[in-house]
Amino acid sequence: MTYSKALARSGQLLALTPVALVQFVLTVLPTGLALIAPGIAVRHLTNRWRALFGSWLGREIPVPYRPEPAPPQPDEEGLYRHESQLYRSPRMPAYLARVDWFAKDPALKRDVQWMLFFPLVVLLVIPLGLPVAPRAVRAVAAWSERRLRPVADPSPAGRKCSDRALLAWARCGLLAISAVVQVALFAVTLVCFALGFGLGLIFLIPLGLTHFRWLANLRRNYAAWAGVTIERPYTARRFPELRADGMYRVDRTLYKTEGMADFNARWQWVWHDVASWRDLLWLVADAVVVGVVAGIPVVAGIYGVWGLALPWMWTQFFGADWSRWYGAVAGNRTAGLAVGVALAVAAVAVADRALRIASRWTAVLLRPTAKEQLRRRVERLTQTRADAVDAQAAEVRRIERDLHDGAQARLISVGLTLSTIERLMDTDPDAARRLVAQARETSQTALTELRDLVRGIHPPVLSERGLPDAVRALALDTAAEVTVTGRLAGRLAAPVESAAYFAVSELLANAVRHGRAEHVSIDIRHREGALRVTVTDDGEGGADPSRGTGLRGIQRRLGTFDGTLALNSPPGGPTVASLELPCALSSPKTSTS
C-alpha cells in the first residue's frame, strides 16, 4: 500500500466514523423496542464494510450471521406456537421468531461493539499514525476484521472479560433508553386515566393499564442478561360465556351483546389483576431507579470519551479552537484526558454490577407475587395430577391389552393343547408327546411375556438395587456408550424412583433413536432436598418438547411430583437434559457405587 493510497483510506475511515455511530443508533434503539427492520437494513451496510476491509487486507471476511428461521408450522389443532404462546395466525409467531433470530444472534453483539468503538479506534489510531499511514490503516482494518468475522465460540463463556464488560455497558445503555421510554408511556397512562375518569371515556381505562405491557415483558427478558428469571405474572384472559338463552354472562352479570360483554370481561380482567397495578408502579419507580443505576455508567463513559478524551486529541493533532472549559479539568486539558480515560474505564468496569442491580430491582416489581406463584403451582399440580390419572388409566388399559392379547391367549392355548393331549394319550402317544413339547414352548413364551410386562411396570432391579444401579443396568442394554456417575446416600420413595427411571429410559431412547448419539453421560445426585439427574449426549441436537410426545410425556410424569425438565439442545448438539424432582432420601440400602 503506497503512502498516498493510505492517506486516502485514512480520510475514508474518518468519514466513516459518523456513519458507524448512526448505524449503532439504528441498530440498538429499534432492536431494544423489538423493531428489527432498521437493524436488518443496517446489517447489509455492515456487510459492505466487511467487503471493504477484506479488500484492504487481501482476504475475504466471511459473513457470520445465522440463517433465517423457517416459517412456523401449525400443530394438530391448527395453532402456531412461539415459545409458550399459541397463535391462530402464523404472522405473529413468524415475526417473533425473526426478532429472536436477529436479536439473539451473537454476531449482532459483535457488530454493535464494532459500531460503538470504531470511531474511537479511528480517532486514536489514524491521527497518531499519520507518519506511518499504511500501517495505521492496516491496523484499523485488522481490528475491524477481528470484530466482524465469525468466531469459533460465540457463547458467553468464550468471550473475553473485556468483551463482557463492554457488552454490559451497552446493555446499560439499552436500560437507560428504556427508562426514558417508560416516562413517555407513563404520560400516556395519565392521559388515558384523565380522559377515562374525567370525561367518561371508560374504554381508555383498561388501555391505560395494558398499553405498556410489551415493554414490561421486554424488560423481563432483559433481566436474563444478569441471570435473573422473571415469569410473566398476568392471570388468564377472561371471556364472556354464552348461555342457552342467548345472553352473555360475565361473573353474575348478563349482557345482550357480545361486544359489551367482552369489554366488561376485559375491564374486570385488567382492573382486578394485581400485576396491572404492579406494572404501573414499575413504570414510575423503575424509570427513576434504573435511570440512575444504569444511566450513571453510560453517561460517565460517554462524557469520559467524547467530552474529555477526544477534545484533547482533536486539539492536539488538529488545533481546533475548543473553549477553555470543554475537554479540560480545572483549565488543564491533560488532566481532562486523564479524567476522561479514568471515567471511561470505571464506567465499563462497573457496568456489569449495575446491570445486576437493575435486573434484581426489576424482578422485585415485575415477578409474580407469592399468592400468584401459589395459585400457579396449584393449577400446575392440578393439571399434572389429571395427566397422571389419565396416564395411569392408559397404562392399565395397555397392561390389560397386553395380558389379553399375549400371556392370556397363550395360556388358553396351553389349556386347549393339554385337553387334546389327554384325549390322545391312549390312541396316539407320539402325537401327544409332540403336543406336550408345543405346550412347553408356549408356556415358556407366556412366561417371558409376563416377565417383560412386569419389567415394564416396575423393573425388579429398581426395587432391589435402587435408581443408580437400575440406570447402570439400563445403560448395558443401550446401543450407545453410556457413562453413569454419582450415587445416592439413601433410597428414594418408590414412585419417585420409578418416575426418574422411566424418564431416563425415554431420554436414552431419544438420544440413540433420534439424536444418533454415540456417547451418553448420566449424572445422578441428591442435593438440597431434590433429586437431580443430568443426561448429556453428543447427538445431533434439535430436541424440542413441542415436536414430540416423548419429551412431553417426561414432563407430565415429572410434573406429577412437582418436578421439572430443563432441556438445552441446539442444532448440532450437544443435548443436555436436566431432571429435578423434589424428594427426600430414606435410610440407605444395598447399592453399588
Side-chain angles (χ1 to χ4, degrees), residues 400-547:
E400 180 184 8
R401 184 175 60 253
D402 290 348
L403 286 174
H404 181 273
D405 298 339
Q408 178 180 329
R410 296 187 187 279
L411 291 176
I412 292 175
S413 176
V414 169
L416 295 175
T417 302
L418 290 176
S419 298
T420 304
I421 292 172
E422 186 178 7
R423 292 195 303 269
L424 295 177
M425 286 292 292
D426 297 330
T427 60
D428 193 350
D430 292 336
R433 281 193 295 270
R434 288 194 297 272
L435 290 176
V436 167
Q438 181 181 344
R440 183 186 303 111
E441 182 180 352
T442 303
S443 65
Q444 290 176 348
T445 303
L447 181 60
T448 301
E449 290 179 349
L450 285 174
R451 286 173 177 171
D452 293 339
L453 184 62
V454 170
R455 189 178 296 111
I457 298 172
H458 193 82
V461 66
L462 186 61
S463 302
E464 297 170 2
R465 308 291 294 176
L467 180 63
D469 287 344
V471 172
R472 291 186 178 95
L474 184 65
L476 296 177
D477 296 331
T478 304
E481 180 185 354
V482 182
T483 303
V484 182
T485 59
R487 57 175 301 173
L488 301 178
R491 288 294 298 269
L492 303 166
V496 176
E497 278 189 335
S498 179
Y501 173 84
F502 285 108
V504 173
S505 175
E506 181 68 25
L507 289 173
L508 278 176
N510 287 344
V512 176
R513 186 185 309 117
H514 303 297
R516 296 180 177 84
E518 297 181 356
H519 184 271
V520 183
S521 62
I522 304 174
D523 183 71
I524 304 173
R525 307 283 177 183
H526 187 275
R527 295 191 300 268
E528 300 175 357
L531 172 69
R532 292 180 174 87
V533 182
T534 304
V535 181
T536 306
D537 69 69
D538 60 354
E540 298 177 353
D544 186 357
S546 65
R547 296 204 303 264

Side-chain angles (χ1 to χ4, degrees), residues 333-418:
R333 295 190 183 278
T334 304
L337 173 65
V339 172
V341 173
L343 276 177
V345 172
V348 174
V350 303
D352 188 62
R353 183 178 296 273
L355 193 64
R356 290 198 300 269
I357 294 173
S359 298
R360 290 169 183 169
W361 162 254
T362 301
V364 171
L365 294 178
L366 291 186
R367 66 189 174 193
T369 62
K371 183 178 180 180
E372 177 64 17
Q373 290 176 343
L374 179 60
R375 185 190 66 80
R376 291 186 175 194
R377 186 173 183 184
V378 170
E379 287 184 353
R380 182 170 179 269
L381 289 176
T382 301
Q383 181 62 40
T384 54
R385 295 297 187 273
D387 291 341
V389 171
D390 294 341
Q392 185 178 16
E395 185 71 6
V396 170
R397 290 193 296 270
R398 182 187 69 82
I399 294 172
E400 180 184 8
R401 184 175 60 253
D402 290 348
L403 286 174
H404 181 273
D405 298 339
Q408 178 180 329
R410 296 187 187 279
L411 291 176
I412 292 175
S413 176
V414 169
L416 295 175
T417 302
L418 290 176

Side-chain angles (χ1 to χ4, degrees), residues 148-372:
L148 297 177
R149 70 187 178 189
V151 292
D153 182 12
S155 64
R159 298 192 191 101
K160 297 180 180 178
C161 181
S162 59
D163 291 344
R164 292 197 301 269
L166 292 174
L167 181 60
W169 184 84
R171 286 171 170 173
C172 284
L174 276 179
L175 294 183
I177 295 172
S178 173
V180 175
V181 175
Q182 287 172 233
V183 174
L185 294 180
F186 180 66
V188 175
T189 297
L190 292 180
V191 172
C192 291
F193 282 175
L195 296 177
F197 291 109
L199 300 180
L201 303 178
I202 59 174
F203 63 89
L204 293 177
I205 298 177
L207 179 63
L209 288 173
T210 57
H211 73 91
F212 53 84
R213 279 190 178 181
W214 64 271
L215 183 59
N217 289 330
L218 196 63
R219 287 292 301 278
R220 291 184 178 98
N221 295 336
Y222 286 174
W225 292 341
V228 179
T229 301
I230 307 177
E231 296 182 0
R232 299 186 181 185
Y234 308 113
T235 58
R237 169 74 188 277
R238 305 175 65 180
F239 293 94
E241 175 187 353
L242 178 62
R243 290 161 44 95
D245 57 2
M247 302 287 285
Y248 294 90
R249 176 182 175 180
V250 178
D251 288 340
R252 298 181 181 179
T253 308
L254 299 179
Y255 300 89
K256 293 183 179 180
T257 62
E258 183 180 5
M260 182 58 68
D262 185 69
F263 171 77
N264 281 277
R266 185 172 185 271
W267 167 280
Q268 294 182 24
W269 167 60
V270 173
W271 190 264
H272 295 293
D273 192 349
V274 177
S276 298
W277 299 100
R278 295 180 76 231
D279 281 1
L280 184 60
L281 176 62
W282 164 82
L283 195 65
V284 181
D286 186 77
V288 177
V289 175
V290 172
V292 173
V293 172
I296 288 178
V298 174
V299 173
I302 293 176
Y303 181 70
V305 174
W306 303 104
L308 294 175
L310 285 183
W312 178 89
M313 289 184 289
W314 203 268
T315 303
Q316 188 76 15
F317 295 103
F318 296 99
D321 185 18
W322 298 90
S323 62
R324 293 300 302 167
W325 62 269
Y326 190 75
V329 173
N332 190 316
R333 295 190 183 278
T334 304
L337 173 65
V339 172
V341 173
L343 276 177
V345 172
V348 174
V350 303
D352 188 62
R353 183 178 296 273
L355 193 64
R356 290 198 300 269
I357 294 173
S359 298
R360 290 169 183 169
W361 162 254
T362 301
V364 171
L365 294 178
L366 291 186
R367 66 189 174 193
T369 62
K371 183 178 180 180
E372 177 64 17

